[in-house]
Each structure stands twice: as structure tokens, then as C-alpha cells.
Amino acid sequence: MREIQIDKIIKTVKDLLIDANYHLGQDIVDEFDRRIQSDESPVAREVLKELKENVAIAAQGEYPICQDTGLAIIFAELGQEVHIAGGDFNKAIEEGVRQGYGEGYLRKSVCHPFTRKNTGDNTPIIVHLDLVPGDGLKLWVVPKGGGSENMSRLFMLPPSAGWLGIKERVIQTVVEAGPNPCPPTIVGVGIGGNFERCAILAKKALLRTLGGPNPDPSLQQMEEELLLEINKTGVGPQGLGGRVTSLGVHLLMMDCHIASLPLAVNIQCHASRHLEIIL
Ligand code: SF4
């Protein structure tokens, strides 16, 4: 059985969180470039240029891309042949988050729901852990901002709603969100499962590289159809109008109960921060 020491997990989570907050993925920057060329609105083109400049300034000076450095979400796939040595797995991840937000001078954004008293170290965190075959540990760190998370929605649709019902709700969610999630966004959509599973699917869908194809060709077609419709709404970059309301739509789907059609829409702002590593 392979051993992974918790010290390695703590350092990995810390480093990835700082890196994700300072450096936006090249996939997003490339998409900014492509859209700067294509949007017919001068205001939209100007906003996209400013977003790109912001990313460059953050990377140069080692600053966060956005003041909202997010609630830390960690997806983990732990091989069943791995022994976590030296301490508690969840506590190790939490310590990595604590150190990352401290040493990286990242804003602490977690508070008590009623008193609004800040917990001071950006914990507690959200961990989604899956046990998988093998002797590796795969980690995704996702610092997720509040503005885009607030505009996300979950619907328990009747099965008769079908694809048309799903499309209607996804577009409605994007339009109602307007400028609040700092568009251009990436729209994660989870279809099927149950109440909680479809929300996790929607969030996991956001981890895919922007512009990378959906492995399921029928879902790929649905993604293209949705993106086309969303970009006809005219919300535009930062909600100032234009054709680039979203940079991409990512779908994940699983089978569901015969009486249900669960749908979750997880909106991700342009500051789409996620990094992954295999230990
Ligand atoms: S929605 Fe995104 S870009 Fe806007 S403030 Fe929140 S984290 Fe920053």
C-alpha cells in the first residue's frame, strides 16, 4: 500500500490555492483573445481587453485576480490503495487552505451565517471526496467567488419538461443573473442524479478545460446550442451589452429517478480559478 504523508497534502493545497488565485488559466485568456476579435460591440471588446489586462497585472505582481478570493472547494479522488500517513486527511486539507490564505495574503471570505462574524482563516471548507481504484490521489482546488455562486440555481423539473424545459431554465438563470456574476461566465450544468448530485455535477462540469470537447457528442451538441442561445441574450461582458455573455457551457449528466428531472446551473465568473494535481 502506498503512503502519502499529510505534510505533502498540506503544502500542495496551499501552493495550488495561491497559484490559482494569482494566475488565470491560459484557456480563459485564449478565449478572451478570440472574443476580443469577434464581438461586434466596442464596449464589450473594451471590457474584455480590461479583463485581460487585469489578469496580466495580477500575474506580474503576484496579486489575486479578484478581491473575492473565494470559498475553498476541494474535489479529491483517493485511490483505495493509498494510506494517508501522519494525520487526518480532512484536517490536512483544511490546514493547506489556512496556510494558503494566510501566506498568499488572500481575503478571508467565510463567516457565520447569522452573526456574519468572519472565521478568520477561510475555513471551514467544502470537500467532495470519492474513493477510486488505484494508488494515487487526485486533487482539484477551486476557490469559488460568492457573486457567481449566488446566481446559481437548482430546479426539480417534471420529466415532461425535457430538453426544452432545461434550456429555458438555464437561459432564464443567466438572464436573471445579469451583471452580478461578472460575465463573461462559464455555465456549469448538471442534469439528472438527484437534488444534491445534480448540484455537484454542475460544479464538476466547470473543472473541464474551456474549449475542450465534451466526451459525449450528444452533450457537446447541447452545450453548443445553449451557448448560442445564451450569447443572443445581449447581457454581454460585465452586463454592459454585447455577444459575449458566456465563454462556454459545460454539461454533465447521469441517470435519475423516473419521477424526476433534476437540473442545476452553477454559474462561474470569468475569474474561473481551478487547478488540479495527481500525487
Ligand atoms: S463574481 Fe468572480 S470576478 Fe466577480 S467579484 Fe466574484 S469572484 Fe470576482
Side-chain angles (χ1 to χ4, degrees):
M1 180 165 271
R2 188 174 160 229
E3 267 195 4
I4 299 180
Q5 294 287 332
I6 59 155
D7 288 354
K8 189 166 187 181
I9 297 173
I10 294 171
K11 182 165 181 347
T12 301
V13 169
K14 175 186 84 171
D15 291 346
L16 288 180
L17 273 169
I18 295 173
D19 192 2
N21 265 294
Y22 288 7
H23 306 106
L24 193 62
Q26 193 57 42
D27 54 339
I28 313 285
V29 178
D30 289 347
E31 200 57 29
F32 284 163
D33 277 335
R34 215 168 66 76
R35 305 292 182 147
I36 287 167
Q37 307 302 327
S38 65
D39 201 303
E40 71 226 29
S41 154
V43 177
R45 289 200 299 272
E46 195 48 44
V47 172
L48 289 169
K49 279 184 201 160
E50 282 177 15
L51 294 180
K52 204 185 149 194
E53 193 187 347
N54 174 60
V55 171
I57 292 170
Q60 229 171 29
E62 300 280 291
Y63 313 122
I65 300 157
C66 179
Q67 43 76 35
D68 184 349
T69 53
L71 172 67
I73 300 153
I74 314 290
F75 285 95
E77 283 179 2
L78 178 63
Q80 57 194 18
E81 308 300 331
V82 175
H83 170 59
I84 302 294
D88 182 292
F89 178 73
N90 279 309
K91 286 208 170 72
I93 293 188
E94 200 166 78
E95 182 56 25
V97 171
R98 192 174 286 117
Q99 290 186 12
Y101 278 78
E103 291 176 30
Y105 301 102
L106 305 175
R107 191 187 78 184
K108 321 300 180 289
S109 305
V110 180
C111 70
H112 184 281
F114 293 134
T115 64
R116 311 308 292 179
K117 187 175 183 313
N118 198 299
T119 62
D121 59 3
N122 225 51
T123 71
I125 57 173
I126 314 272
V127 179
H128 300 290
L129 173 64
D130 284 324
L131 199 58
V132 297
D135 64 355
L137 170 61
K138 186 164 185 182
L139 295 170
W140 290 260
V141 300
V142 189
K144 182 79 163 66
S148 59
E149 198 71 352
N150 285 349
M151 305 322 291
S152 301
R153 298 287 180 266
L154 195 147
F155 307 93
M156 296 304 288
L157 298 174
S160 59
W163 172 234
L164 281 183
I166 288 173
K167 250 185 14 176
E168 202 180 286
R169 297 305 168 102
V170 174
I171 293 163
Q172 171 199 335
T173 302
V174 171
V175 171
E176 283 175 7
N180 295 333
C182 301
T185 54
I186 298 145
V187 183
V189 180
I191 301 170
N194 65 353
F195 184 79
E196 75 273 13
R197 179 55 63 182
C198 73
I200 293 173
L201 287 175
K203 181 149 275 128
K204 261 194 151 170
L206 295 170
L207 303 180
R208 206 173 92 215
T209 303
L210 186 65
N214 192 310
D216 180 335
S218 61
L219 293 185
Q220 172 75 29
Q221 210 179 339
M222 292 178 190
E223 289 180 356
E224 286 167 15
E225 198 177 323
L226 270 172
L227 184 61
L228 208 68
E229 293 295 323
I230 286 170
N231 284 339
K232 280 182 194 162
T233 60
V235 174
Q238 298 296 297
L240 295 172
R243 293 289 167 217
V244 193
T245 302
S246 292
L247 301 171
V249 178
H250 290 181
L251 255 70
L252 274 179
M253 185 169 77
M254 72 177 286
D255 295 338
C256 59
H257 192 283
I258 53 171
S260 317
L261 179 54
L263 166 69
V265 185
N266 197 196
I267 306 274
Q268 171 63 62
C269 61
H270 69 274
S272 174
R273 295 156 293 188
H274 56 90
L275 283 175
E276 62 190 72
I277 196 167
I278 298 174
L279 296 180

